[in-house]
Amino acid sequence: GKKIMQIAKQALNYISRKRVKTLLVFLILTLISTALTSSFSIMGTTNNIEKKIYDASNTGFTITSKTLERPLSLKTAEKLLENKEISKFNFKYDALASLTDKTVVKKKQGVTRDNQNPVLNNLVAALGTSDSTLETTFASGVFKLEQGKPIRKGDKSKILIHEKLAKKNHLKVGDKLKLKGASLKDEDAKQLHEVEFEIAGIFSGKKEEKQTGLSSDATENTVYMDYESSQHLQGYKPADYKLSAAVYFVSNPNQIDKVINTVKKSKIDWKQTDLVKNSKAFEAVSSSVTSFKQIINVLTFSIIIGSIIVLSLILMFWLRERIYEIGVLLSLGISKAMIISQFILELVIISVFSMALASISGSYISTMVFKGFIKGGQQQDSSSAIFENIVPHLHTSTILMTYGILLIIILLAVVGSSSIILHKKPKDILTDIS
């Protein structure tokens, strides 16, 4: 106990006596800790972005039937949900329906149909979905829900309509709307079942349009409804429910190929069924995040190595001038371990103040570096949006981790630089001086 007090007293004495030296070491330690703090802070942020991309990328696969005449059955699609890696799914059914008590938005088309069957007069594209937020049009921002709520699993007789269709028919969220399923086989168009919907939401936007001469080609005449209602319109019984496509999303995009291999082994008639992987969005953004991460990792590693070297060199000079002091202490019978402890303690005391300053400057610098990377970066695609709204935050854990590493650097530097002097005998050290 007494010895420790003595070391602490000597350390404090030395720091307060040698002001210029103390200041120099303080500045160097502050630089090192600022550089480390900002690197770790950016590292943590980049990992967060990666998690965001995982959640937003909607990486997965789609299965569809190879022929329109034989759509997928709901039973087939549900079989695949047993796979634990699948986190979300969207069952889709694309159909046509006519508005029974409202009118479609009229648009000029390049194609006109002769003697059109009256069934085709008020057609809308009736798209069944089990979750409209997972529809590519909404997820990518082509369509934006302006009012109301999206269609989610378990919704019944709910519909989303375009703002222009709503305006034309003076409709608002909560209003009712009747549709009658329509089927278009060759020239024969016939009406199927009628369903009354409640308008759950109104969306805006414009998608690419086909030109076949039908009013259902127009964006404004596109409606989204819950999957089950799309089946009622067609008059299907629950045992015969059909799908145009089933889209599955995996929780970990890196596992996509493994999941697809497992899926391909399931008992599905693959002669009739196509499987397509959707991971383009994830791959594009993920590669820019990966390269960003590598740069930051190299930077951090270089800072650590550089810090050890710089600190060791400075300590060598520092110790050269203290040879006399070391010799005296050794001849007084003070152990080498005690002397090294004093040197370490001196630096630790200074480092506490450095770290306090670094935790302020580190957050400022990490934000600057991060923004600079993005501005000068390759991210001119959809990924820039993910990066842009993110600011690195300095968490307490980052500060503690940086301080831990700073202490290790101090320890290595002191032990490394002291060992050169301390392996001599006290007598030799004192004769060296005289």
Side-chain angles (χ1 to χ4, degrees):
K2 245 165 124 185
K3 271 185 175 169
I4 292 171
M5 286 306 291
Q6 187 192 348
I7 288 179
K9 212 165 130 193
Q10 281 169 343
L12 282 167
N13 268 339
Y14 188 82
I15 291 173
S16 51
R17 264 199 345 266
K18 304 277 188 181
R19 291 208 181 116
V20 176
K21 272 213 178 127
T22 301
L23 185 66
L24 179 70
V25 170
F26 168 72
L27 288 175
I28 285 163
L29 289 179
T30 305
L31 271 175
I32 293 172
S33 37
T34 302
L36 285 173
T37 324
S38 23
S39 302
F40 286 134
S41 155
I42 292 174
M43 236 184 215
T45 309
T46 315
N47 290 337
N48 272 345
I49 295 179
E50 202 165 31
K51 195 186 164 314
K52 270 199 161 154
I53 292 173
Y54 271 24
D55 298 342
S57 71
N58 286 344
T59 294
F61 59 94
T62 302
I63 63 168
T64 49
S65 165
K66 287 185 179 172
T67 52
L68 282 173
E69 290 70 55
R70 300 184 54 179
L72 273 178
S73 74
L74 181 62
K75 288 198 190 81
T76 302
E78 282 177 332
K79 246 184 228 159
L80 300 184
L81 292 178
E82 290 157 14
N83 192 316
K84 295 284 174 287
E85 284 286 332
I86 289 172
S87 55
K88 298 177 286 193
F89 66 91
N90 184 15
F91 289 168
K92 296 153 67 94
Y93 188 79
D94 301 349
L96 290 173
S98 46
L99 294 174
T100 43
D101 50 358
K102 300 286 182 271
T103 47
V104 294
V105 175
K106 293 275 188 289
K107 293 186 80 180
K108 278 242 173 298
Q109 284 213 20
V111 182
T112 46
R113 289 181 170 237
D114 316 329
N115 59 35
Q116 186 153 308
N117 185 315
V119 172
L120 305 178
N121 284 345
N122 237 350
L123 276 192
V124 294
L127 311 178
T129 173
S130 51
D131 187 334
S132 66
T133 60
L134 299 175
E135 286 288 330
T136 324
T137 43
F138 284 102
S140 66
V142 170
F143 287 159
K144 179 168 173 264
L145 196 61
E146 297 290 351
Q147 294 163 33
K149 292 198 181 87
I151 287 170
R152 297 282 196 183
K153 216 171 96 188
D155 278 347
K156 294 215 180 337
S157 311
K158 291 283 198 307
I159 196 166
L160 305 178
I161 66 172
H162 196 277
E163 57 184 7
K164 295 221 171 112
L165 186 70
K167 194 175 163 193
K168 171 151 194 177
N169 293 287
H170 309 292
L171 294 165
K172 54 185 191 307
V173 173
D175 285 352
K176 296 279 192 273
L177 180 66
K178 280 190 186 140
L179 288 182
K180 215 170 217 175
S183 86
L184 224 58
K185 288 252 164 43
D186 309 314
E187 283 310 298
D188 181 31
K190 57 175 195 285
Q191 290 197 318
L192 306 162
H193 283 244
E194 186 173 64
V195 177
E196 186 176 43
F197 290 92
E198 182 193 326
I199 297 173
I202 292 174
F203 63 90
S204 61
K206 184 145 184 69
K207 68 176 168 84
E208 279 184 37
E209 296 176 357
K210 303 198 295 279
Q211 297 267 328
T212 65
L214 295 174
S215 57
S216 54
D217 297 336
T219 303
E220 294 81 350
N221 299 324
T222 302
V223 301
Y224 287 89
M225 61 185 61
D226 59 284
Y227 168 73
E228 213 171 305
S229 298
S230 70
Q231 302 303 291
H232 294 325
L233 280 176
Q234 296 293 313
Y236 290 134
K237 297 276 174 291
D240 304 320
Y241 278 0
K242 304 281 186 274
L243 293 160
S244 306
V247 189
Y248 303 89
F249 303 95
V250 293
S251 36
N252 179 355
N254 290 322
Q255 295 292 317
I256 179 73
D257 294 324
K258 202 174 125 201
V259 176
I260 287 179
N261 285 335
T262 315
V263 166
K264 287 203 160 149
K265 292 190 185 98
S266 48
K267 292 186 173 61
I268 286 177
D269 182 359
W270 292 107
K271 286 195 192 68
Q272 298 294 331
T273 317
D274 271 328
L275 185 150
V276 179
K277 177 166 92 166
N278 329 318
S279 56
K280 282 197 181 59
F282 173 72
E283 282 158 6
V285 183
S286 157
S287 63
S288 51
V289 173
T290 312
S291 55
F292 188 67
K293 265 177 86 169
Q294 283 165 346
I295 295 169
I296 297 298
N297 290 346
V298 169
L299 200 69
T300 311
F301 192 65
S302 318
I303 291 169
I304 293 175
I305 300 294
S307 308
I308 294 175
I309 295 169
V310 171
L311 210 55
S312 302
L313 289 174
I314 282 172
L315 291 176
M316 294 281 266
F317 291 119
W318 180 286
L319 292 175
R320 277 249 138 82
E321 293 182 12
R322 299 177 74 171
I323 285 182
Y324 186 73
E325 182 189 353
I326 294 169
V328 171
L329 291 172
L330 284 171
S331 59
L332 288 176
I334 290 170
S335 70
K336 290 178 181 176
M338 281 304 207
I339 297 173
I340 287 187
S341 309
Q342 181 191 323
F343 294 162
I344 289 173
L345 188 62
E346 289 165 8
L347 289 172
V348 168
I349 295 169
I350 301 173
S351 74
V352 172
F353 296 99
S354 292
M355 198 60 227
L357 184 59
S359 48
I360 301 163
S361 55
S363 108
Y364 179 69
I365 287 176
S366 59
T367 307
M368 266 172 40
V369 171
F370 193 74
K371 292 269 183 253
F373 258 117
I374 294 153
K375 281 222 167 51
Q378 332 61 0
Q379 290 91 21
Q380 286 317 315
D381 49 18
S382 58
S383 57
S384 59
I386 301 181
F387 286 96
E388 257 156 29
N389 310 325
I390 292 181
V391 176
H393 285 298
L394 252 194
H395 299 291
T396 322
S397 56
T398 313
I399 294 174
L400 292 173
M401 184 163 93
T402 309
Y403 192 56
I405 289 179
L406 189 65
L407 292 179
I408 294 170
I409 292 174
I410 288 174
L411 194 72
L412 292 173
V414 172
V415 172
S417 48
S418 315
S419 59
I420 300 171
I421 295 172
L422 289 182
H423 72 267
K424 297 182 174 179
K425 292 190 176 67
K427 208 167 69 207
D428 298 341
I429 289 178
L430 288 172
T431 48
D432 275 359
I433 295 166
S434 51

